[in-house]
Amino acid sequence: MAPLVAAAPYISVASSVMQFTQQGAIGKYNQAANNRTAAVLDNQAVQIEQKAEFDIAQFNKTYQKVKGETTVALAKSGVQIGSGSAYNIALSNAIEKKLQENLITYNSKVAANNKREEANFARIKGTIARQQSRLAQIGTIASAGASLITMNQGSFGTKSYNQGAGSSKSLFTSNSVY
């Protein structure tokens, strides 16, 4: 039993070191996982912006087709292109085209900014996870230190020292108050 009691402080220290190391590893892992999530969200924001460019290009393609069909239909009906109602139709279509482009651009910017905001929160969450692991490590060190102090008080605080021949008075006791 005595060897086990003597080894207790070393077992406690080894256990605390392992716990400290694991807490650090968990914090780093959680931070890295959140940073990966942030990178994915940033990439999604870029994809949203690229999709907006594609959507605008597709819309312009459709617009040019409709514009050509409208021009042909007006010409077939005998309306003079560039004046009167033909001009009003072309102007209305051009205004609608610009509004649609602006709407596509606006919606994509809002969606991309939301993804970037999510990415920022993921980074913050990762930083918090890392800080929590550091706090846990500090708690582990404090706990290990307190355990070692408590163990040492039990072995050093109650030793008797001879004060002379035949005396068995204790100089240091755990109940002594100075």
Side-chain angles (χ1 to χ4, degrees):
M1 186 73 169
L4 187 57
V5 172
Y10 301 107
I11 293 169
S12 177
V13 168
S15 172
S16 295
V17 167
M18 287 176 17
Q19 184 177 0
F20 179 87
T21 303
Q22 286 301 314
Q23 288 167 333
I26 289 168
K28 286 178 185 177
Y29 174 81
N30 287 337
Q31 184 175 27
N34 282 297
N35 285 342
R36 281 190 299 277
T37 300
V40 167
L41 291 167
D42 282 335
N43 287 338
Q44 288 176 356
V46 170
Q47 289 171 347
I48 289 169
E49 291 168 343
Q50 290 172 345
K51 185 181 181 309
E53 292 171 11
F54 175 78
D55 290 346
I56 289 172
Q58 288 299 103
F59 176 78
N60 284 335
K61 184 177 172 183
T62 303
Y63 172 77
Q64 291 303 325
K65 181 181 174 187
V66 170
K67 182 179 171 186
E69 290 171 355
T70 304
T71 302
V72 169
L74 290 173
K76 278 185 180 179
S77 68
V79 175
Q80 185 179 359
I81 305 298
S83 66
S85 58
Y87 175 77
N88 289 339
I89 291 171
L91 180 62
S92 176
N93 287 344
I95 290 171
E96 183 63 27
K97 173 187 180 274
K98 190 63 178 167
L99 285 173
Q100 287 300 317
E101 287 175 350
N102 288 344
L103 182 63
I104 291 169
T105 301
Y106 174 79
N107 287 339
S108 72
K109 285 182 179 180
V110 168
N113 285 339
N114 286 341
K115 290 294 180 183
R116 286 192 176 96
E117 191 66 22
E118 286 179 51
N120 287 337
F121 279 118
R123 284 185 194 91
I124 290 168
K125 189 176 175 183
T127 301
I128 289 171
R130 184 70 185 271
Q131 292 302 323
Q132 285 174 332
S133 75
R134 287 180 179 151
L135 288 173
Q137 286 177 313
I138 291 168
T140 298
I141 291 170
S143 175
S147 294
L148 289 174
I149 289 171
T150 303
M151 282 186 230
N152 286 336
Q153 281 180 349
S155 61
F156 295 121
T158 59
K159 282 194 175 177
S160 294
Y161 295 93
N162 274 338
Q163 297 175 346
S167 176
S168 63
K169 274 190 168 178
S170 173
L171 289 178
F172 305 102
T173 64
S174 56
N175 298 330
S176 296
V177 177
Y178 293 99

